[in-house]
Every structure is written in C-alpha cells, then in structure tokens.
PDB file of all heavy atoms in Angstrom:
ATOM      1  N   GLY A   1     184.100 110.965  -5.330  1.00 73.00           N
ATOM      2  CA  GLY A   1     184.121 112.280  -5.966  1.00 73.00           C
ATOM      3  C   GLY A   1     183.260 113.252  -5.202  1.00 73.00           C
ATOM      4  O   GLY A   1     183.649 114.400  -4.963  1.00 73.00           O
ATOM      5  N   GLY A   2     182.083 112.780  -4.786  1.00 73.00           N
ATOM      6  CA  GLY A   2     181.196 113.646  -4.019  1.00 73.00           C
ATOM      7  C   GLY A   2     181.860 114.097  -2.726  1.00 73.00           C
ATOM      8  O   GLY A   2     181.805 115.267  -2.356  1.00 73.00           O
ATOM      9  N   VAL A   3     182.548 113.149  -2.053  1.00 71.00           N
ATOM     10  CA  VAL A   3     183.243 113.484  -0.800  1.00 71.00           C
ATOM     11  C   VAL A   3     184.297 114.562  -1.040  1.00 71.00           C
ATOM     12  O   VAL A   3     184.367 115.570  -0.344  1.00 71.00           O
ATOM     13  CB  VAL A   3     183.922 112.228  -0.184  1.00 71.00           C
ATOM     14  CG1 VAL A   3     184.771 112.615   1.014  1.00 71.00           C
ATOM     15  CG2 VAL A   3     182.881 111.203   0.221  1.00 71.00           C
ATOM     16  N   VAL A   4     185.131 114.329  -2.083  1.00 71.00           N
ATOM     17  CA  VAL A   4     186.219 115.259  -2.380  1.00 71.00           C
ATOM     18  C   VAL A   4     185.683 116.635  -2.769  1.00 71.00           C
ATOM     19  O   VAL A   4     186.087 117.660  -2.219  1.00 71.00           O
ATOM     20  CB  VAL A   4     187.092 114.716  -3.535  1.00 71.00           C
ATOM     21  CG1 VAL A   4     188.078 115.775  -3.993  1.00 71.00           C
ATOM     22  CG2 VAL A   4     187.827 113.473  -3.079  1.00 71.00           C
ATOM     23  N   VAL A   5     184.740 116.642  -3.715  1.00 72.00           N
ATOM     24  CA  VAL A   5     184.227 117.917  -4.223  1.00 72.00           C
ATOM     25  C   VAL A   5     183.535 118.704  -3.121  1.00 72.00           C
ATOM     26  O   VAL A   5     183.755 119.903  -2.966  1.00 72.00           O
ATOM     27  CB  VAL A   5     183.256 117.669  -5.403  1.00 72.00           C
ATOM     28  CG1 VAL A   5     182.626 118.970  -5.847  1.00 72.00           C
ATOM     29  CG2 VAL A   5     184.000 117.044  -6.556  1.00 72.00           C
ATOM     30  N   SER A   6     182.711 118.014  -2.306  1.00 72.00           N
ATOM     31  CA  SER A   6     181.992 118.772  -1.284  1.00 72.00           C
ATOM     32  C   SER A   6     182.959 119.290  -0.224  1.00 72.00           C
ATOM     33  O   SER A   6     182.792 120.389   0.284  1.00 72.00           O
ATOM     34  CB  SER A   6     180.884 117.925  -0.658  1.00 72.00           C
ATOM     35  OG  SER A   6     181.420 116.770  -0.078  1.00 72.00           O
ATOM     36  N   ALA A   7     184.025 118.489   0.082  1.00 70.00           N
ATOM     37  CA  ALA A   7     184.989 118.961   1.087  1.00 70.00           C
ATOM     38  C   ALA A   7     185.792 120.154   0.576  1.00 70.00           C
ATOM     39  O   ALA A   7     186.074 121.092   1.303  1.00 70.00           O
ATOM     40  CB  ALA A   7     185.935 117.829   1.479  1.00 70.00           C
ATOM     41  N   LEU A   8     186.138 120.115  -0.724  1.00 70.00           N
ATOM     42  CA  LEU A   8     187.013 121.161  -1.261  1.00 70.00           C
ATOM     43  C   LEU A   8     186.263 122.432  -1.587  1.00 70.00           C
ATOM     44  O   LEU A   8     186.697 123.535  -1.272  1.00 70.00           O
ATOM     45  CB  LEU A   8     187.678 120.680  -2.552  1.00 70.00           C
ATOM     46  CG  LEU A   8     188.692 119.559  -2.384  1.00 70.00           C
ATOM     47  CD1 LEU A   8     189.231 119.177  -3.742  1.00 70.00           C
ATOM     48  CD2 LEU A   8     189.813 120.028  -1.489  1.00 70.00           C
ATOM     49  N   LEU A   9     185.144 122.281  -2.283  1.00 71.00           N
ATOM     50  CA  LEU A   9     184.482 123.470  -2.793  1.00 71.00           C
ATOM     51  C   LEU A   9     183.408 123.965  -1.833  1.00 71.00           C
ATOM     52  O   LEU A   9     182.758 124.973  -2.077  1.00 71.00           O
ATOM     53  CB  LEU A   9     183.854 123.185  -4.164  1.00 71.00           C
ATOM     54  CG  LEU A   9     184.767 122.493  -5.184  1.00 71.00           C
ATOM     55  CD1 LEU A   9     184.052 122.356  -6.512  1.00 71.00           C
ATOM     56  CD2 LEU A   9     186.062 123.274  -5.385  1.00 71.00           C
ATOM     57  N   GLY A  10     183.206 123.206  -0.728  1.00 71.00           N
ATOM     58  CA  GLY A  10     182.217 123.629   0.247  1.00 71.00           C
ATOM     59  C   GLY A  10     180.794 123.610  -0.274  1.00 71.00           C
ATOM     60  O   GLY A  10     179.964 124.409   0.134  1.00 71.00           O
ATOM     61  N   ILE A  11     180.498 122.684  -1.224  1.00 72.00           N
ATOM     62  CA  ILE A  11     179.108 122.566  -1.674  1.00 72.00           C
ATOM     63  C   ILE A  11     178.549 121.237  -1.200  1.00 72.00           C
ATOM     64  O   ILE A  11     179.286 120.404  -0.692  1.00 72.00           O
ATOM     65  CB  ILE A  11     178.991 122.625  -3.218  1.00 72.00           C
ATOM     66  CG1 ILE A  11     179.973 121.643  -3.854  1.00 72.00           C
ATOM     67  CG2 ILE A  11     179.153 124.031  -3.726  1.00 72.00           C
ATOM     68  CD1 ILE A  11     179.930 121.635  -5.349  1.00 72.00           C
ATOM     69  N   ASP A  12     177.227 121.027  -1.370  1.00 73.00           N
ATOM     70  CA  ASP A  12     176.688 119.790  -0.810  1.00 73.00           C
ATOM     71  C   ASP A  12     177.068 118.574  -1.662  1.00 73.00           C
ATOM     72  O   ASP A  12     177.381 118.680  -2.834  1.00 73.00           O
ATOM     73  CB  ASP A  12     175.180 119.973  -0.533  1.00 73.00           C
ATOM     74  CG  ASP A  12     174.268 119.203  -1.454  1.00 73.00           C
ATOM     75  OD1 ASP A  12     174.627 118.105  -1.918  1.00 73.00           O
ATOM     76  OD2 ASP A  12     173.189 119.700  -1.734  1.00 73.00           O
ATOM     77  N   PHE A  13     177.063 117.392  -1.018  1.00 71.00           N
ATOM     78  CA  PHE A  13     177.571 116.149  -1.603  1.00 71.00           C
ATOM     79  C   PHE A  13     176.926 115.814  -2.960  1.00 71.00           C
ATOM     80  O   PHE A  13     177.608 115.508  -3.927  1.00 71.00           O
ATOM     81  CB  PHE A  13     177.348 115.011  -0.606  1.00 71.00           C
ATOM     82  CG  PHE A  13     177.601 113.653  -1.181  1.00 71.00           C
ATOM     83  CD1 PHE A  13     178.903 113.188  -1.340  1.00 71.00           C
ATOM     84  CD2 PHE A  13     176.552 112.838  -1.580  1.00 71.00           C
ATOM     85  CE1 PHE A  13     179.149 111.935  -1.878  1.00 71.00           C
ATOM     86  CE2 PHE A  13     176.798 111.579  -2.119  1.00 71.00           C
ATOM     87  CZ  PHE A  13     178.097 111.128  -2.263  1.00 71.00           C
ATOM     88  N   TRP A  14     175.602 115.896  -3.032  1.00 74.00           N
ATOM     89  CA  TRP A  14     174.923 115.481  -4.270  1.00 74.00           C
ATOM     90  C   TRP A  14     175.209 116.404  -5.438  1.00 74.00           C
ATOM     91  O   TRP A  14     175.385 115.960  -6.564  1.00 74.00           O
ATOM     92  CB  TRP A  14     173.408 115.348  -4.039  1.00 74.00           C
ATOM     93  CG  TRP A  14     173.102 114.075  -3.349  1.00 74.00           C
ATOM     94  CD1 TRP A  14     172.810 113.897  -2.019  1.00 74.00           C
ATOM     95  CD2 TRP A  14     173.104 112.756  -3.930  1.00 74.00           C
ATOM     96  NE1 TRP A  14     172.638 112.563  -1.745  1.00 74.00           N
ATOM     97  CE2 TRP A  14     172.801 111.849  -2.887  1.00 74.00           C
ATOM     98  CE3 TRP A  14     173.332 112.277  -5.210  1.00 74.00           C
ATOM     99  CZ2 TRP A  14     172.726 110.470  -3.099  1.00 74.00           C
ATOM    100  CZ3 TRP A  14     173.253 110.901  -5.427  1.00 74.00           C
ATOM    101  CH2 TRP A  14     172.956 110.017  -4.385  1.00 74.00           C
ATOM    102  N   THR A  15     175.273 117.723  -5.142  1.00 75.00           N
ATOM    103  CA  THR A  15     175.603 118.676  -6.212  1.00 75.00           C
ATOM    104  C   THR A  15     176.964 118.339  -6.789  1.00 75.00           C
ATOM    105  O   THR A  15     177.166 118.273  -8.002  1.00 75.00           O
ATOM    106  CB  THR A  15     175.664 120.125  -5.658  1.00 75.00           C
ATOM    107  OG1 THR A  15     174.656 120.267  -4.661  1.00 75.00           O
ATOM    108  CG2 THR A  15     175.476 121.148  -6.748  1.00 75.00           C
ATOM    109  N   GLY A  16     177.922 118.081  -5.872  1.00 73.00           N
ATOM    110  CA  GLY A  16     179.286 117.768  -6.290  1.00 73.00           C
ATOM    111  C   GLY A  16     179.338 116.515  -7.135  1.00 73.00           C
ATOM    112  O   GLY A  16     179.953 116.480  -8.210  1.00 73.00           O
ATOM    113  N   ALA A  17     178.664 115.461  -6.666  1.00 73.00           N
ATOM    114  CA  ALA A  17     178.699 114.186  -7.378  1.00 73.00           C
ATOM    115  C   ALA A  17     178.081 114.316  -8.771  1.00 73.00           C
ATOM    116  O   ALA A  17     178.648 113.864  -9.768  1.00 73.00           O
ATOM    117  CB  ALA A  17     177.984 113.114  -6.570  1.00 73.00           C
ATOM    118  N   LEU A  18     176.924 114.970  -8.843  1.00 75.00           N
ATOM    119  CA  LEU A  18     176.232 115.075 -10.134  1.00 75.00           C
ATOM    120  C   LEU A  18     177.005 115.924 -11.139  1.00 75.00           C
ATOM    121  O   LEU A  18     177.120 115.565 -12.310  1.00 75.00           O
ATOM    122  CB  LEU A  18     174.824 115.650  -9.938  1.00 75.00           C
ATOM    123  CG  LEU A  18     173.846 114.675  -9.273  1.00 75.00           C
ATOM    124  CD1 LEU A  18     172.533 115.349  -8.953  1.00 75.00           C
ATOM    125  CD2 LEU A  18     173.599 113.479 -10.182  1.00 75.00           C
ATOM    126  N   ALA A  19     177.581 117.045 -10.644  1.00 74.00           N
ATOM    127  CA  ALA A  19     178.318 117.929 -11.546  1.00 74.00           C
ATOM    128  C   ALA A  19     179.484 117.198 -12.207  1.00 74.00           C
ATOM    129  O   ALA A  19     179.663 117.257 -13.434  1.00 74.00           O
ATOM    130  CB  ALA A  19     178.821 119.149 -10.789  1.00 74.00           C
ATOM    131  N   THR A  20     180.262 116.466 -11.387  1.00 73.00           N
ATOM    132  CA  THR A  20     181.420 115.758 -11.951  1.00 73.00           C
ATOM    133  C   THR A  20     180.993 114.704 -12.960  1.00 73.00           C
ATOM    134  O   THR A  20     181.608 114.553 -14.019  1.00 73.00           O
ATOM    135  CB  THR A  20     182.238 115.048 -10.852  1.00 73.00           C
ATOM    136  OG1 THR A  20     181.379 114.785  -9.768  1.00 73.00           O
ATOM    137  CG2 THR A  20     183.394 115.875 -10.398  1.00 73.00           C
ATOM    138  N   VAL A  21     179.922 113.976 -12.635  1.00 75.00           N
ATOM    139  CA  VAL A  21     179.482 112.904 -13.527  1.00 75.00           C
ATOM    140  C   VAL A  21     179.064 113.452 -14.888  1.00 75.00           C
ATOM    141  O   VAL A  21     179.451 112.939 -15.938  1.00 75.00           O
ATOM    142  CB  VAL A  21     178.285 112.160 -12.915  1.00 75.00           C
ATOM    143  CG1 VAL A  21     177.729 111.161 -13.898  1.00 75.00           C
ATOM    144  CG2 VAL A  21     178.730 111.460 -11.667  1.00 75.00           C
ATOM    145  N   ILE A  22     178.277 114.540 -14.836  1.00 75.00           N
ATOM    146  CA  ILE A  22     177.743 115.059 -16.095  1.00 75.00           C
ATOM    147  C   ILE A  22     178.867 115.625 -16.961  1.00 75.00           C
ATOM    148  O   ILE A  22     178.950 115.353 -18.162  1.00 75.00           O
ATOM    149  CB  ILE A  22     176.650 116.114 -15.796  1.00 75.00           C
ATOM    150  CG1 ILE A  22     175.445 115.397 -15.154  1.00 75.00           C
ATOM    151  CG2 ILE A  22     176.218 116.826 -17.062  1.00 75.00           C
ATOM    152  CD1 ILE A  22     174.474 116.297 -14.446  1.00 75.00           C
ATOM    153  N   LEU A  23     179.791 116.342 -16.313  1.00 73.00           N
ATOM    154  CA  LEU A  23     180.909 116.919 -17.050  1.00 73.00           C
ATOM    155  C   LEU A  23     181.766 115.838 -17.712  1.00 73.00           C
ATOM    156  O   LEU A  23     182.121 115.915 -18.889  1.00 73.00           O
ATOM    157  CB  LEU A  23     181.774 117.722 -16.066  1.00 73.00           C
ATOM    158  CG  LEU A  23     182.637 118.810 -16.691  1.00 73.00           C
ATOM    159  CD1 LEU A  23     181.736 119.867 -17.309  1.00 73.00           C
ATOM    160  CD2 LEU A  23     183.529 119.451 -15.636  1.00 73.00           C
ATOM    161  N   THR A  24     182.082 114.793 -16.927  1.00 73.00           N
ATOM    162  CA  THR A  24     182.918 113.708 -17.454  1.00 73.00           C
ATOM    163  C   THR A  24     182.204 112.960 -18.559  1.00 73.00           C
ATOM    164  O   THR A  24     182.789 112.633 -19.590  1.00 73.00           O
ATOM    165  CB  THR A  24     183.245 112.693 -16.344  1.00 73.00           C
ATOM    166  OG1 THR A  24     183.638 113.411 -15.198  1.00 73.00           O
ATOM    167  CG2 THR A  24     184.360 111.781 -16.772  1.00 73.00           C
ATOM    168  N   GLY A  25     180.929 112.677 -18.317  1.00 72.00           N
ATOM    169  CA  GLY A  25     180.130 111.966 -19.311  1.00 72.00           C
ATOM    170  C   GLY A  25     180.205 112.688 -20.643  1.00 72.00           C
ATOM    171  O   GLY A  25     180.370 112.063 -21.695  1.00 72.00           O
ATOM    172  N   LEU A  26     180.133 114.026 -20.599  1.00 70.00           N
ATOM    173  CA  LEU A  26     180.161 114.807 -21.836  1.00 70.00           C
ATOM    174  C   LEU A  26     181.416 114.570 -22.653  1.00 70.00           C
ATOM    175  O   LEU A  26     181.348 114.238 -23.825  1.00 70.00           O
ATOM    176  CB  LEU A  26     180.062 116.310 -21.509  1.00 70.00           C
ATOM    177  CG  LEU A  26     178.641 116.842 -21.389  1.00 70.00           C
ATOM    178  CD1 LEU A  26     178.645 118.307 -20.984  1.00 70.00           C
ATOM    179  CD2 LEU A  26     177.921 116.688 -22.732  1.00 70.00           C
ATOM    180  N   TYR A  27     182.613 114.704 -22.004  1.00 64.00           N
ATOM    181  CA  TYR A  27     183.794 114.598 -22.858  1.00 64.00           C
ATOM    182  C   TYR A  27     184.099 113.173 -23.271  1.00 64.00           C
ATOM    183  O   TYR A  27     184.715 112.930 -24.299  1.00 64.00           O
ATOM    184  CB  TYR A  27     185.004 115.381 -22.309  1.00 64.00           C
ATOM    185  CG  TYR A  27     185.934 114.753 -21.310  1.00 64.00           C
ATOM    186  CD1 TYR A  27     186.900 113.830 -21.693  1.00 64.00           C
ATOM    187  CD2 TYR A  27     185.897 115.145 -19.978  1.00 64.00           C
ATOM    188  CE1 TYR A  27     187.788 113.310 -20.767  1.00 64.00           C
ATOM    189  CE2 TYR A  27     186.793 114.625 -19.046  1.00 64.00           C
ATOM    190  CZ  TYR A  27     187.728 113.701 -19.447  1.00 64.00           C
ATOM    191  OH  TYR A  27     188.607 113.193 -18.543  1.00 64.00           O
ATOM    192  N   THR A  28     183.618 112.189 -22.496  1.00 66.00           N
ATOM    193  CA  THR A  28     183.815 110.800 -22.921  1.00 66.00           C
ATOM    194  C   THR A  28     182.930 110.473 -24.110  1.00 66.00           C
ATOM    195  O   THR A  28     183.351 109.812 -25.063  1.00 66.00           O
ATOM    196  CB  THR A  28     183.446 109.817 -21.784  1.00 66.00           C
ATOM    197  OG1 THR A  28     183.965 110.324 -20.574  1.00 66.00           O
ATOM    198  CG2 THR A  28     184.026 108.455 -22.047  1.00 66.00           C
ATOM    199  N   VAL A  29     181.672 110.927 -24.037  1.00 64.00           N
ATOM    200  CA  VAL A  29     180.736 110.633 -25.120  1.00 64.00           C
ATOM    201  C   VAL A  29     181.254 111.211 -26.430  1.00 64.00           C
ATOM    202  O   VAL A  29     181.254 110.568 -27.470  1.00 64.00           O
ATOM    203  CB  VAL A  29     179.335 111.211 -24.797  1.00 64.00           C
ATOM    204  CG1 VAL A  29     178.430 111.149 -26.006  1.00 64.00           C
ATOM    205  CG2 VAL A  29     178.720 110.436 -23.652  1.00 64.00           C
ATOM    206  N   VAL A  30     181.738 112.458 -26.359  1.00 63.00           N
ATOM    207  CA  VAL A  30     182.150 113.123 -27.597  1.00 63.00           C
ATOM    208  C   VAL A  30     183.524 112.659 -28.085  1.00 63.00           C
ATOM    209  O   VAL A  30     183.718 112.385 -29.264  1.00 63.00           O
ATOM    210  CB  VAL A  30     182.152 114.661 -27.397  1.00 63.00           C
ATOM    211  CG1 VAL A  30     182.486 115.351 -28.696  1.00 63.00           C
ATOM    212  CG2 VAL A  30     180.781 115.118 -26.925  1.00 63.00           C
ATOM    213  N   GLY A  31     184.484 112.514 -27.140  1.00 59.00           N
ATOM    214  CA  GLY A  31     185.861 112.309 -27.588  1.00 59.00           C
ATOM    215  C   GLY A  31     186.363 110.885 -27.705  1.00 59.00           C
ATOM    216  O   GLY A  31     187.359 110.626 -28.351  1.00 59.00           O
ATOM    217  N   GLY A  32     185.685 109.938 -27.031  1.00 58.00           N
ATOM    218  CA  GLY A  32     186.128 108.546 -27.126  1.00 58.00           C
ATOM    219  C   GLY A  32     187.457 108.292 -26.436  1.00 58.00           C
ATOM    220  O   GLY A  32     187.942 109.092 -25.642  1.00 58.00           O
ATOM    221  N   MET A  33     188.074 107.167 -26.789  1.00 57.00           N
ATOM    222  CA  MET A  33     189.276 106.709 -26.093  1.00 57.00           C
ATOM    223  C   MET A  33     190.442 107.684 -26.206  1.00 57.00           C
ATOM    224  O   MET A  33     191.214 107.844 -25.272  1.00 57.00           O
ATOM    225  CB  MET A  33     189.691 105.348 -26.662  1.00 57.00           C
ATOM    226  CG  MET A  33     190.863 104.748 -25.948  1.00 57.00           C
ATOM    227  SD  MET A  33     190.423 104.287 -24.268  1.00 57.00           S
ATOM    228  CE  MET A  33     191.895 103.431 -23.786  1.00 57.00           C
ATOM    229  N   ARG A  34     190.591 108.327 -27.350  1.00 62.00           N
ATOM    230  CA  ARG A  34     191.761 109.188 -27.512  1.00 62.00           C
ATOM    231  C   ARG A  34     191.686 110.365 -26.540  1.00 62.00           C
ATOM    232  O   ARG A  34     192.682 110.720 -25.912  1.00 62.00           O
ATOM    233  CB  ARG A  34     191.851 109.683 -28.957  1.00 62.00           C
ATOM    234  CG  ARG A  34     193.140 110.408 -29.217  1.00 62.00           C
ATOM    235  CD  ARG A  34     193.358 110.644 -30.685  1.00 62.00           C
ATOM    236  NE  ARG A  34     193.563 109.400 -31.399  1.00 62.00           N
ATOM    237  CZ  ARG A  34     193.572 109.320 -32.730  1.00 62.00           C
ATOM    238  NH1 ARG A  34     193.367 110.380 -33.446  1.00 62.00           N
ATOM    239  NH2 ARG A  34     193.780 108.167 -33.318  1.00 62.00           N
ATOM    240  N   ALA A  35     190.484 110.933 -26.391  1.00 63.00           N
ATOM    241  CA  ALA A  35     190.319 112.032 -25.429  1.00 63.00           C
ATOM    242  C   ALA A  35     190.673 111.524 -24.037  1.00 63.00           C
ATOM    243  O   ALA A  35     191.336 112.200 -23.247  1.00 63.00           O
ATOM    244  CB  ALA A  35     188.875 112.528 -25.443  1.00 63.00           C
ATOM    245  N   VAL A  36     190.272 110.273 -23.735  1.00 63.00           N
ATOM    246  CA  VAL A  36     190.527 109.715 -22.414  1.00 63.00           C
ATOM    247  C   VAL A  36     192.028 109.539 -22.171  1.00 63.00           C
ATOM    248  O   VAL A  36     192.570 109.960 -21.157  1.00 63.00           O
ATOM    249  CB  VAL A  36     189.783 108.363 -22.252  1.00 63.00           C
ATOM    250  CG1 VAL A  36     190.164 107.712 -20.944  1.00 63.00           C
ATOM    251  CG2 VAL A  36     188.276 108.578 -22.299  1.00 63.00           C
ATOM    252  N   VAL A  37     192.729 108.925 -23.134  1.00 65.00           N
ATOM    253  CA  VAL A  37     194.153 108.616 -22.929  1.00 65.00           C
ATOM    254  C   VAL A  37     195.010 109.864 -22.767  1.00 65.00           C
ATOM    255  O   VAL A  37     195.834 109.953 -21.865  1.00 65.00           O
ATOM    256  CB  VAL A  37     194.700 107.782 -24.105  1.00 65.00           C
ATOM    257  CG1 VAL A  37     196.174 107.515 -23.908  1.00 65.00           C
ATOM    258  CG2 VAL A  37     193.977 106.460 -24.184  1.00 65.00           C
ATOM    259  N   TYR A  38     194.803 110.851 -23.625  1.00 70.00           N
ATOM    260  CA  TYR A  38     195.674 112.033 -23.554  1.00 70.00           C
ATOM    261  C   TYR A  38     195.360 112.919 -22.354  1.00 70.00           C
ATOM    262  O   TYR A  38     196.261 113.456 -21.727  1.00 70.00           O
ATOM    263  CB  TYR A  38     195.626 112.828 -24.862  1.00 70.00           C
ATOM    264  CG  TYR A  38     196.441 112.145 -25.928  1.00 70.00           C
ATOM    265  CD1 TYR A  38     195.832 111.335 -26.885  1.00 70.00           C
ATOM    266  CD2 TYR A  38     197.827 112.258 -25.949  1.00 70.00           C
ATOM    267  CE1 TYR A  38     196.585 110.673 -27.850  1.00 70.00           C
ATOM    268  CE2 TYR A  38     198.587 111.600 -26.904  1.00 70.00           C
ATOM    269  CZ  TYR A  38     197.962 110.806 -27.857  1.00 70.00           C
ATOM    270  OH  TYR A  38     198.715 110.151 -28.784  1.00 70.00           O
ATOM    271  N   THR A  39     194.056 113.069 -22.009  1.00 71.00           N
ATOM    272  CA  THR A  39     193.759 113.887 -20.828  1.00 71.00           C
ATOM    273  C   THR A  39     194.276 113.175 -19.576  1.00 71.00           C
ATOM    274  O   THR A  39     194.749 113.809 -18.647  1.00 71.00           O
ATOM    275  CB  THR A  39     192.243 114.154 -20.674  1.00 71.00           C
ATOM    276  OG1 THR A  39     191.542 112.937 -20.860  1.00 71.00           O
ATOM    277  CG2 THR A  39     191.752 115.157 -21.688  1.00 71.00           C
ATOM    278  N   GLU A  40     194.263 111.832 -19.583  1.00 71.00           N
ATOM    279  CA  GLU A  40     194.767 111.092 -18.428  1.00 71.00           C
ATOM    280  C   GLU A  40     196.243 111.326 -18.183  1.00 71.00           C
ATOM    281  O   GLU A  40     196.685 111.366 -17.039  1.00 71.00           O
ATOM    282  CB  GLU A  40     194.574 109.582 -18.645  1.00 71.00           C
ATOM    283  CG  GLU A  40     193.265 109.113 -18.111  1.00 71.00           C
ATOM    284  CD  GLU A  40     193.048 107.642 -18.395  1.00 71.00           C
ATOM    285  OE1 GLU A  40     193.842 107.016 -19.108  1.00 71.00           O
ATOM    286  OE2 GLU A  40     192.072 107.123 -17.867  1.00 71.00           O
ATOM    287  N   THR A  41     197.003 111.456 -19.249  1.00 74.00           N
ATOM    288  CA  THR A  41     198.441 111.663 -19.088  1.00 74.00           C
ATOM    289  C   THR A  41     198.690 112.944 -18.313  1.00 74.00           C
ATOM    290  O   THR A  41     199.472 112.989 -17.362  1.00 74.00           O
ATOM    291  CB  THR A  41     199.118 111.727 -20.471  1.00 74.00           C
ATOM    292  OG1 THR A  41     198.701 110.597 -21.214  1.00 74.00           O
ATOM    293  CG2 THR A  41     200.622 111.709 -20.345  1.00 74.00           C
ATOM    294  N   LEU A  42     197.985 114.005 -18.703  1.00 76.00           N
ATOM    295  CA  LEU A  42     198.118 115.287 -18.007  1.00 76.00           C
ATOM    296  C   LEU A  42     197.689 115.144 -16.543  1.00 76.00           C
ATOM    297  O   LEU A  42     198.341 115.647 -15.627  1.00 76.00           O
ATOM    298  CB  LEU A  42     197.250 116.345 -18.712  1.00 76.00           C
ATOM    299  CG  LEU A  42     197.206 117.711 -18.042  1.00 76.00           C
ATOM    300  CD1 LEU A  42     198.570 118.386 -18.144  1.00 76.00           C
ATOM    301  CD2 LEU A  42     196.145 118.607 -18.670  1.00 76.00           C
TER     302      LEU A  42
END
C-alpha cells in the first residue's frame, strides 16, 4: 500500500502507509463484517 500510494499521490512512503491503515482500521472497527463484505463488492 505504501508503494502504491507514494507512487500515485507523490507523497512519502510512510505517510501513505499510515494514512491507509488508519482509515481502514476506522471503518472495520465501526462496521464489522457487513461493512467489509459490501464495500468489497464495489
């Protein structure tokens, strides 16, 4: 994720990696499996 994000958005590797982790962690913690399954389909 860090590789992809830093290559695409032109930001440094660690910023990219941390941002994605924190964002994902948030919706998994709150929404559980159902949030995971339906967002995955999209």
Side-chain angles (χ1 to χ4, degrees):
V3 173
V4 171
V5 175
S6 59
L8 292 179
L9 311 184
I11 50 180
D12 109 32
F13 170 78
W14 282 102
T15 324
L18 288 173
T20 25
V21 173
I22 293 163
L23 203 64
T24 314
L26 273 177
Y27 86 78
T28 317
V29 169
V30 184
M33 184 68 173
R34 188 168 293 169
V36 174
V37 178
Y38 284 98
T39 46
E40 269 177 353
T41 309
L42 176 68

